[in-house]
Amino acid sequence: MKHPLSVSHAAALVVAGLGLFSLPACGDDSNPLLTATATITAGPTTNNPSGNPSGDPSGDPSGDPSGDPTGDPTEGGTDTDDPTGGPQDGPHALGTILLGESHPSAGGATTPTVYASFIPDADAGGFKGCTENVAGCELALVPDCGSGCDVDEYCGFDDGCKAACQPICDAQCAPDEVCYFPAPGTPGCKKIESFDAGALTFLNTPIPITLFPPYAFMSDDSASPFAPGGTASVQASGASNAGFEAFDKEFTGTEFIQSSPKLDTLGFAEVFGSGPLPVRWTPGDGEVTITATVTSSNFATGTITCKADDPSGSFDIPRAALEAAVGGEPAANITVSIQRQRVDVYKDLTTKGELTGVTVQPVGFLHIVTSSTEYHSFQGCNPGEAVCDDECVDVQFDPSNCGDCGNTCVGPDTCLNGTCNGNNACNACAADNEAGVCKPQNDACAANAACKALETCIEGCDTQECFYMCAENVDAAVIDLYNEQIFCTCNTACVDECYGLCG
């Protein structure tokens, strides 16, 4: 880097000396995510084709970190054939009943969940999430519509999982009506119509459960709503209007999931280090899903889900998937859950009734899901820190890991706010920017014979007195031209690298 000059001339720019250092030649680098509750809840079953961004009505009502409580209940489990002969496939209405429990890895009370939903057409109802495969796991995508949407729109995914602005159904409807689109882009109102299966009564469950539409049930019990490996049944009285006819179906509870070793005993390096995150459990014969919700130091959050082989009792969450969840940012918190499911599937049910503008399929499928989830939340490094060699390092001020792991400052240079600061960093930055940000100023001096001569003289100096001797009898405009290079380096190109050296 070049030294600035100050002269006793009214037109000259005065900059304090930078000191005597080597110069290159001129002109030629706890648990904030969990919401535990003992309340048993069930999702609404009112038909809502409005398309408004009101969230997924079939989402997880429990608040536990396992995400969607049902996963994909069409996969795995017991498939009960139609007793009249062969499975019935093709268009159908769909009923989903979930009995779940979730418990912390460190022990304590279990949180029960009971959920019921009935939709008239499985092909047209329900929320379908959009995901991206990362290292064998699925990363839940968040729609990004770029510059945003109009006030009467919201950002969502289209059928091809492409982010697009969707119209909000904003018709002014009566309290007993719901907004919907009778034609594309044309909102309208229709009477609220239910589609359900009537009262649901559960027999032989550890806690008494009876649900009436819209299937909300409050309980202070801290117990599982199903017995592991136990047989129970659900009786539906049948819909009073549109919905499923009466049914009586048995189901078997899944075995409780238990991590081994316990999730809460995993070491910091295992969770936040550079390798995969190991998850182990007592093997079983259900459907196991591993979910990790990652929060970065700047509060970005992402969730990945990974299918695992239950009999193996082990799964290593790929580090690449964890990093992708927050765009490669350092993780400040990771919540891991292990979920085991069993699904009993029936395809021999029938429906009745009609709905406005919605097809009611006459054949009904029923998925009875039992789910057990164990979870634990891990606290990572503090803001400004990163995991380097499996330890938290303050990359804002560590000269061996300045700004990033392994970025070492040269010689006596220090690390200031994630940037190497000192003579070496300042000189290196100045040299890089002679052909970069500061190229116009350097070219201007090089094109001026007097400025170039001044610069050549200064390059041979090793004392402050020598600098001033080089500037004797030099026109102030030439000194200004020379100093513009310094100002560019100190005030624009290398502010952090040269901080404290240009003052």
Side-chain angles (χ1 to χ4, degrees):
M1 177 180 167
K2 307 173 181 69
H3 283 276
L5 292 174
S6 60
V7 295
S8 56
H9 188 286
L13 296 175
V14 180
V15 180
L18 293 177
L20 301 177
F21 51 86
S22 175
L23 299 175
C26 165
D28 295 311
D29 238 67
S30 89
N31 188 355
L33 297 180
L34 306 181
T35 308
T37 172
T39 300
I40 301 178
T41 61
T45 57
T46 299
N47 180 45
N48 177 20
S50 67
N52 280 351
S54 56
D56 174 13
S58 63
D60 182 4
S62 70
D64 78 62
S66 59
D68 177 7
T70 64
D72 182 1
T74 64
E75 298 294 333
T78 302
D79 190 344
T80 303
D81 289 348
D82 180 354
T84 62
Q88 295 178 350
D89 295 317
H92 60 274
L94 177 62
T96 302
I97 298 174
L98 168 79
L99 288 86
E101 71 81 28
S102 59
H103 58 273
S105 176
T110 185
T111 300
T113 300
V114 176
Y115 164 88
S117 174
F118 297 88
I119 57 177
D121 188 352
D123 291 332
F127 172 79
K128 297 180 180 178
C130 294
T131 62
E132 175 186 355
N133 187 286
V134 179
C137 296
E138 296 298 319
L139 170 63
L141 299 179
V142 177
D144 181 2
C145 294
S147 58
C149 300
D150 293 338
V151 293
D152 59 347
E153 297 178 323
Y154 71 96
C155 185
F157 288 118
D158 61 18
D159 292 340
C161 279
K162 180 180 178 181
C165 293
Q166 311 285 349
I168 294 175
C169 198
D170 55 1
Q172 299 300 311
C173 300
D176 61 344
E177 295 179 327
V178 63
C179 182
Y180 80 121
F181 289 101
T186 305
C189 298
K190 67 175 184 176
K191 292 293 184 181
I192 295 176
E193 300 171 298
S194 64
F195 187 88
D196 54 60
L200 301 178
T201 303
F202 295 82
L203 305 177
N204 297 323
T205 54
I207 57 178
I209 305 171
T210 301
L211 303 178
F212 289 89
Y215 303 130
F217 185 82
M218 305 296 293
S219 174
D220 293 328
D221 288 307
S222 177
S224 170
F226 64 89
T231 301
S233 64
V234 56
Q235 297 176 348
S237 64
S240 57
N241 295 307
F244 277 58
E245 297 275 12
F247 60 79
D248 186 346
K249 298 298 183 183
E250 287 190 345
F251 61 92
T252 302
T254 190
E255 296 294 333
F256 292 153
I257 193 77
Q258 298 184 79
S259 60
S260 179
K262 306 298 287 182
L263 287 175
D264 61 294
T265 64
L266 294 179
F268 179 87
E270 292 177 294
V271 179
F272 295 97
S274 56
L277 196 163
V279 179
R280 306 289 183 264
W281 62 92
T282 303
D285 60 357
E287 297 289 327
V288 170
T289 301
I290 311 295
T291 301
T293 298
V294 187
T295 302
S296 70
S297 56
N298 61 0
F299 305 108
T301 300
T303 299
I304 59 170
T305 56
C306 313
K307 295 293 185 181
D309 178 49
D310 195 355
S312 73
S314 68
F315 185 83
D316 293 329
I317 305 177
R319 186 60 55 180
L322 294 169
E323 293 175 348
V326 286
E329 294 293 324
N333 182 287
I334 299 177
T335 297
V336 176
S337 69
I338 317 171
Q339 182 184 77
R340 174 182 287 142
Q341 287 187 351
R342 174 189 167 92
V343 186
D344 290 298
V345 180
Y346 293 91
K347 300 181 178 181
D348 59 344
L349 285 72
T350 58
T351 66
K352 66 176 183 177
E354 296 180 351
L355 297 172
T356 303
V358 177
T359 299
V360 176
Q361 298 293 347
V363 176
F365 288 12
L366 177 66
H367 299 158
I368 306 177
V369 184
T370 52
S371 172
S372 176
T373 303
E374 182 174 313
Y375 60 88
H376 187 72
S377 186
F378 302 91
Q379 182 63 46
C381 299
N382 294 322
E385 296 181 336
V387 180
C388 301
D389 295 328
D390 296 337
E391 294 183 356
C392 285
V393 174
D394 188 348
V395 293
Q396 299 299 300
F397 299 99
D398 185 349
S400 297
N401 301 277
C402 189
D404 199 2
C405 297
N407 184 36
T408 303
C409 298
V410 178
D413 285 7
T414 60
C415 183
L416 180 64
N417 297 323
T419 301
C420 289
N421 169 259
N423 293 347
N424 294 292
C426 184
N427 282 328
C429 181
D432 288 342
N433 282 283
E434 284 185 0
V437 174
C438 298
K439 186 177 187 300
Q441 291 81 359
N442 280 273
D443 288 350
C445 181
N448 184 287
C451 185
K452 184 64 178 177
L454 173 63
E455 188 173 83
T456 301
C457 179
I458 291 174
E459 287 172 6
C461 291
D462 56 7
T463 65
Q464 195 75 33
E465 290 75 16
C466 177
F467 299 151
Y468 290 133
M469 289 180 62
C470 289
E472 284 185 350
N473 301 318
V474 176
D475 188 80
V478 175
I479 293 178
D480 289 346
L481 190 63
Y482 173 84
N483 277 343
E484 284 299 322
Q485 303 169 99
I486 315 300
F487 294 141
C488 178
T489 297
C490 293
N491 299 335
T492 302
C494 307
V495 175
D496 295 327
E497 291 85 350
C498 300
Y499 180 80
L501 302 176
C502 299

